Amino acid sequence: MVLDEDQLEGLHLVQLTMADEVKRICERYQINYFLVAGSALGAVRHQGFIPWDDDIDFGMMRVDYDKFLFHAQNDLKPIFSIQTWNINSAFALPFAKLHRNDSKFVEPAVAEIGTHKGIYIDIFPFDAVPDQSFLRMLHMGQLELLRQVIMARAGYFQNSDAGFFSRLIRKLASRVSVFWSFQSMVGIHERVSRYFNGRVSKMVTAIGGSYGYRRETITRAWTEELCPANFENNVFPVFEDVDSYLRNLYGNYDILPPLEARYGRHRIIEFQLPSKP
């Protein structure tokens, strides 16, 4: 289904309350966080949501991400809940989703899986990656293989309409996944993701980012220098060198896409707003 203007406006209002909750916890516990991907682009180009966007994306360095998850489980307002694969074994993504409990936002990939189905915003951990391109390729390959196997084990691909090659990879991943438990595979993924964090590295990547490991790999210094950005009458941190970040991710981001490309990237099959924003 395609959300109409009223539904999209209502979705944005709900997601803003969720972003405020992230901000509240981060400020209370001195956690560094920042807008990333389309939300950073929206802050710069539109001073808020990209008009047709249907989510909000935050990023945190791994140490802050872990700290946020710890405090979120104890300090979230009751209308919200946090979901990770360490909290819910049906959830097979290497990042967190903050959900609004009294709502629905159902996508085909998880329609039959025991994950939370409420409206959400994404929170991505950033981990160090090796400076050497060969080692980065090896690291990327390990994580991608593990991701495919974990998602296959959780049943994420049963409603997929992917192409032939992707279906073949997923079929092989399904066969391989039966040899390990879900939690053991998650543990391996976590160790591989964090492997370079204690080492000197100029680059980091958003683990699980929508654009893939290579495209999400950025200069570490960008995450260390933040500045405030207006976002729908609120203020959230972005990279001080947000222009370089956005050009790295999107190229010439100042140019709006053609009309036929202006739509939310999530395929929604069931949607329900809460009775109150």
Side-chain angles (χ1 to χ4, degrees):
M1 64 181 290
V2 178
L3 301 184
D4 61 33
E5 289 186 9
D6 289 340
Q7 289 174 318
L8 192 58
E9 182 180 357
L11 174 65
H12 287 172
L13 288 174
V14 172
Q15 290 173 328
L16 284 171
T17 67
M18 302 167 76
D20 283 339
E21 182 71 347
V22 172
K23 181 177 183 178
R24 180 185 71 83
I25 289 178
C26 288
E27 290 183 348
R28 180 172 185 178
Y29 297 104
Q30 298 181 316
I31 298 168
N32 291 322
Y33 72 109
F34 35 82
L35 292 171
V36 294
S39 297
L41 174 57
V44 172
R45 196 172 67 191
H46 305 276
Q47 291 73 58
F49 286 98
I50 296 173
W52 53 89
D53 202 2
D54 53 14
D55 69 353
I56 295 179
D57 297 319
F58 285 110
M60 302 174 186
M61 292 301 294
R62 178 67 73 169
V63 64
D64 290 301
Y65 176 83
D66 289 343
K67 188 176 179 181
F68 175 83
L69 293 181
F70 174 80
H71 290 293
Q73 291 184 70
N74 300 300
D75 197 15
L76 279 177
K77 294 176 182 176
I79 58 172
F80 303 120
S81 59
I82 196 79
Q83 183 168 234
T84 70
W85 57 16
N86 291 312
I87 295 171
N88 180 358
S89 61
F91 183 76
L93 300 174
F95 55 90
K97 289 181 180 287
L98 178 67
H99 287 270
R100 175 72 182 244
N101 294 328
D102 53 346
S103 67
K104 288 186 180 179
F105 191 99
V106 185
E107 300 170 81
V110 297
E112 307 300 327
I113 298 173
T115 58
H116 199 299
K117 303 296 194 302
I119 292 170
Y120 62 83
I121 61 177
D122 292 328
I123 304 168
F124 295 95
F126 277 68
D127 288 297
V129 300
D131 292 329
Q132 300 84 357
S133 58
F134 172 75
L135 290 179
R136 279 206 304 272
M137 290 291 292
L138 183 61
H139 193 227
M140 178 179 68
Q142 290 174 312
L143 289 173
E144 178 59 21
L145 176 60
L146 286 164
R147 186 182 72 89
Q148 293 285 343
V149 172
I150 290 169
M151 293 182 74
R153 182 60 181 266
Y156 270 55
F157 300 139
Q158 59 188 358
N159 291 320
S160 174
D161 56 358
F164 172 78
F165 184 73
S166 293
R167 292 200 307 273
L168 178 62
I169 295 295
R170 292 170 180 182
K171 188 172 183 179
L172 292 173
S174 296
R175 299 282 178 86
V176 172
S177 70
V178 301
F179 295 103
W180 294 278
S181 70
F182 180 85
Q183 287 304 328
S184 67
M185 290 186 289
V186 164
I188 295 170
H189 191 288
E190 292 273 345
R191 289 194 294 275
V192 173
S193 299
R194 300 166 185 255
Y195 185 77
F196 296 96
N197 283 348
R199 309 179 185 207
V200 176
S201 172
K202 297 178 182 178
M203 310 296 287
V204 298
T205 196
I207 297 297
S210 301
Y211 300 103
Y213 180 108
R214 184 185 291 108
R215 197 167 155 193
E216 295 274 3
T217 296
I218 63 172
T219 303
R220 179 195 291 270
W222 294 349
T223 71
E224 298 170 347
E225 299 175 354
L226 306 176
C227 66
N230 293 324
F231 192 97
E232 302 293 347
N233 299 316
N234 205 330
V235 175
F236 299 104
V238 297
F239 302 142
E240 188 171 279
D241 194 1
V242 68
D243 178 73
S244 294
Y245 168 73
L246 292 175
R247 292 191 186 283
N248 177 73
L249 201 57
Y250 298 112
N252 192 353
Y253 64 87
D254 296 319
I255 299 177
L256 291 173
L259 289 174
E260 62 271 17
R262 300 179 191 179
Y263 55 85
R265 65 183 182 84
H266 299 97
R267 295 174 55 207
I268 307 167
I269 59 176
E270 187 175 358
F271 178 76
Q272 180 183 316
L273 289 167
S275 56
K276 296 182 180 179

